[in-house]
Amino acid sequence: MTMWKNLNSQDATSPTMKQLMFFHDHSMMILILIATSIFYFMIYMSFNFYINRFLLNKQNIEIIWTVLPMLMLIFIALPSIHLLYLMDGVSNPILTIKSIGHQWYWMYEYSDFKNIEFDSYMNKDIKINSFRVLDVDNNLILPTNTHLRMLITSTDVIHSWAMPALGKKIDAIPGRLNQINLLINQPGILFGQCSEICGANHSFMPIVIESIPMNFFIK
Ligand SMILES: [Cu+2]
C-alpha cells in the first residue's frame, strides 16, 4: 500500500534520522493522549450542561491544569534538546566534503582527499528509470558507515542543503561556512532538494547522494 507509506517519513538511513523518528512517535503519543482526553471532556461537558456552574475559585483544579501541561512540555522538550545537542556534534571525520550552492545547481568538492570538484545539475530529459526533477547528472558519492563532515556555503543567494533520509537540512549562506556531520548506514541512492526559496529555478536543483561501502569508495 504505497498510499500509507507516503504519509510517513522516508526510511531512516542515518542514526540521527532514526532517533528523529523515535522522537516523532514519542511526541505523537503525547499528542494523541491530549487530544483524546480533551475530546472526552468536551463531549462529557456538552451532555452535562451545568457541570461547571459552581466551578469558581477552585485552587486545586487550577494547580492541576497548570502543572500537568508543564510536565507534558518537559517530556517533549528534554528529548528534543538532547537530540539537538547530539545532531550538532562532529566526531573526528575521515573525510570533509564541501557543498556550494549556486543559482541553480550544487557544486561539490572533495578538497582534502583527491582534490576533485564537480557540478551537479538536474537531468532535464526523463528516462525510463529516472525520477523527474530529482535526478542529477553527477551524484555525490559518499562512503557508508563512516563519519563525514560537510561544509556548506553559497556563492549567490541563500540555499539550503536538505537530505530527508539522513535527517539533515542546513542553510547555504554566502560568506559563511556551515558545518554538518553525516553518517550513512547503508548503500543506496538518496534524494534531496534545495529547501530555501532561492529564485526562479529553485525547484530544479536536486541533491543525489550515492552511498557505497568504504572499500569501493577508496578505489
Ligand atoms: Cu537553492
Side-chain angles (χ1 to χ4, degrees), residues 137-184:
D137 52 359
N138 292 314
N139 298 342
L140 174 63
I141 298 172
L142 294 175
T144 55
N145 294 322
T146 314
H147 285 285
L148 308 167
R149 168 171 42 206
M150 182 166 269
L151 300 172
I152 294 138
T153 188
S154 170
T155 46
D156 34 51
V157 296
I158 301 176
H159 299 272
S160 181
W161 195 90
M163 188 52 68
L166 299 177
K168 300 287 172 188
K169 181 181 282 179
I170 191 154
D171 279 355
I173 300 164
R176 273 187 68 139
L177 211 54
N178 282 334
Q179 184 179 251
I180 203 169
N181 70 314
L182 299 176
L183 204 160
I184 308 168

Side-chain angles (χ1 to χ4, degrees), residues 102 104 106 158-160 194 196 198 202 205:
H102 290 254
W104 288 273
W106 292 96
I158 301 176
H159 299 272
S160 181
C194 175
E196 178 73 53
C198 59
H202 157 68
M205 48 182 297

